[in-house]
Amino acid sequence: MKLQRKNRLRATALGALAVSGALVLTACGSDDNTGTETEGGKTSAAASDVKCDGAEGQLRASGSSAQKNAMDLWVKNYMAACSGVEINYNSSSSGEGIVAFNQGTVGFAGSDSALKPEEVADSKKICKTGQGINLPMVGGPIAIGFHVEGVDSLTLDAPTLAKIFDSKIKKWNDPAIAKLNEGVKLPDKAIQAFHRSEDSGTTQNLGKYLNAAAPSDWKYEAEKKWPAPGGQAASGSSGVASQVKAVDGSIGYFELSYAASQDITTVDINTGGAAPVKATSENASKAIAAAKVKGTGKDLALDLDYTTKAEGAYPIVLVTYEVVCDSGNKAETLGTVKSFLTYTASDEGQKVLTDAGYAPIPAEINAKVRETISGLS
């Protein structure tokens, strides 16, 4: 059974990569930038929802590494459709993206956490007639990946995860882990927990989950900077995933697309519901669908329920926001910002997310995102 499960995980990962690769090839393989293909006269998947009106020149953006794999696909598809337009997205971190946005060096930023009040205040210096707002664009599960030789499946709950990442549980055969994994032979091996080295919205969202679901065991504020002592640090989601892939006895957190691309087995989460929940795009969507807009005016920041026990709802989720000025955007990049984000929020742009291991933004919320983008000035 364990071998069959591992084979299914590998097949899923390879399937996600195959679809993503096919989309990239579709975007790059056409010499026709009008949004149509020569074969059969059909509109291409890459360009069907791309409207290039008003887009020109180069647009620089930076921030969240969580959305890197989605952004890579979006940029390729968009640039295939809009000749002469260049989108440069620097996948750094949410914290660095917000800094760049508030310094006026990028047209938009990607952040896995909504702007703080002080960051909104800073944005008013750049958005001369407005302020920075949050547009939810990418959803998905924060996968807990692990690498323990001989262990092909693992279930954990919030208190146990909190103790692992707080260096309170140090061995894989700890009784708390064994209790959640009856019948699994756990080794007497040291746990090596990896976390992000730089300010990260993914870190903050994991902290929000642990705060909400294990308040007695996780006493740290949910901030972008990793708060707990011990553990080992790596740069970016890709760096954490690479370490987990390479190190026996390791555990770490990153977006599902990184687990898929590196064939890393992920933890099932015991939420207290009927059965442990797997980290999948579909299960993350079930949790995100219950989110409520907490932002005011044009700001669309969301309130997520990290303690959900709904059947099949994966609770460790994040939403990546594209941060823009509601008004006062730079004239030279406004057209391209609106054109590009209109595509990412389109039906086709959101479909790419599912194919790449992310979760689309719920339709009701996404309708508000599209309306807001159209009114950017």
Side-chain angles (χ1 to χ4, degrees):
M1 290 296 291
K2 293 179 184 177
L3 181 59
Q4 290 175 348
R5 184 181 186 277
K6 190 167 187 178
N7 287 339
R8 287 198 299 271
L9 281 167
R10 287 178 174 167
T12 300
L14 292 172
L17 283 174
V19 174
S20 298
L23 283 166
V24 172
L25 291 173
T26 300
C28 298
S30 173
D31 292 326
D32 179 4
N33 290 325
T34 63
T36 58
E37 290 182 356
T38 55
E39 183 178 351
K42 295 181 179 179
T43 303
S44 73
S48 60
D49 281 359
V50 177
K51 308 299 180 186
C52 305
D53 297 347
E56 59 182 358
Q58 184 184 77
L59 172 62
R60 295 183 62 214
S62 70
S64 165
S65 65
Q67 68 173 353
K68 178 186 183 300
N69 294 330
M71 191 61 72
D72 285 349
L73 288 172
W74 281 335
V75 168
K76 286 181 181 294
N77 289 354
Y78 181 85
M79 288 173 56
C82 297
S83 178
V85 182
E86 182 181 350
I87 309 292
N88 254 327
Y89 182 78
N90 177 28
S91 172
S92 50
S93 69
S94 297
E96 292 176 58
I98 296 303
V99 169
F101 179 77
N102 281 340
Q103 290 177 342
T105 61
V106 295
F108 71 88
S111 177
D112 305 325
S113 295
L115 292 167
K116 295 179 179 179
E118 59 268 27
E119 292 169 337
V120 174
D122 286 344
S123 74
K124 293 178 181 179
K125 302 169 187 175
I126 298 301
C127 310
K128 299 296 185 182
T129 60
Q131 65 181 42
I133 58 172
N134 305 283
L135 300 178
M137 197 67 69
V138 182
I142 300 175
I144 308 297
F146 72 97
H147 173 185
V148 182
E149 292 296 332
V151 179
D152 296 325
S153 66
L154 189 69
T155 295
L156 297 173
D157 59 13
T160 307
L161 273 174
K163 292 170 187 173
I164 288 172
F165 282 115
D166 198 19
S167 301
K168 299 291 176 60
I169 291 179
K170 300 178 184 295
K171 290 287 188 75
W172 279 110
N173 63 346
D174 187 276
I177 300 176
K179 184 177 180 180
L180 292 165
N181 294 275
E182 293 183 9
V184 177
K185 187 176 181 180
L186 297 165
D188 182 18
K189 182 179 295 181
I191 295 173
Q192 299 194 56
F194 285 90
H195 59 263
R196 293 281 290 274
S197 60
E198 75 285 9
D199 286 3
S200 160
T202 310
T203 294
Q204 188 170 37
N205 279 277
L206 176 64
K208 289 177 180 178
Y209 163 72
L210 294 174
N211 276 163
S216 298
D217 299 293
W218 191 256
K219 300 295 188 179
Y220 307 101
E221 293 295 322
E223 299 290 348
K224 292 187 175 82
K225 184 177 181 63
W226 181 255
Q232 300 182 59
S235 178
S237 292
S238 59
V240 175
S242 293
Q243 289 297 321
V244 172
K245 175 74 173 178
V247 178
D248 184 20
S250 61
I251 189 169
Y253 59 94
F254 32 78
E255 294 65 46
L256 182 62
S257 62
Y258 290 93
S261 65
Q262 298 200 42
D263 196 16
I264 297 170
T265 309
T266 60
V267 170
D268 297 342
I269 301 299
N270 183 335
T271 64
V277 185
K278 298 183 183 303
T280 68
S281 296
E282 180 182 4
N283 291 345
S285 292
K286 292 177 183 177
I288 295 171
K292 306 295 183 184
V293 174
K294 65 178 180 180
T296 58
K298 294 182 179 180
D299 184 77
L300 298 175
L302 301 179
D303 188 15
L304 299 168
D305 180 8
Y306 297 100
T307 61
T308 179
K309 293 180 175 59
E311 184 178 356
Y314 184 82
I316 318 177
V317 294
L318 61 74
V319 169
T320 300
Y321 301 95
E322 311 312 337
V323 176
V324 296
C325 297
D326 56 0
S327 65
N329 288 279
K330 293 180 180 179
E332 61 267 29
T333 57
L334 174 60
T336 309
V337 168
K338 291 180 70 172
S339 172
F340 179 66
L341 295 184
T342 295
Y343 164 61
T344 64
S346 70
D347 289 340
E348 190 61 50
Q350 290 292 295
K351 181 180 181 298
V352 167
L353 297 180
T354 302
D355 295 337
Y358 295 92
I361 298 301
E364 183 179 348
I365 297 170
N366 195 42
K368 296 177 182 179
V369 171
R370 296 181 192 181
E371 181 182 356
T372 303
I373 293 169
S374 68
L376 296 178
S377 62

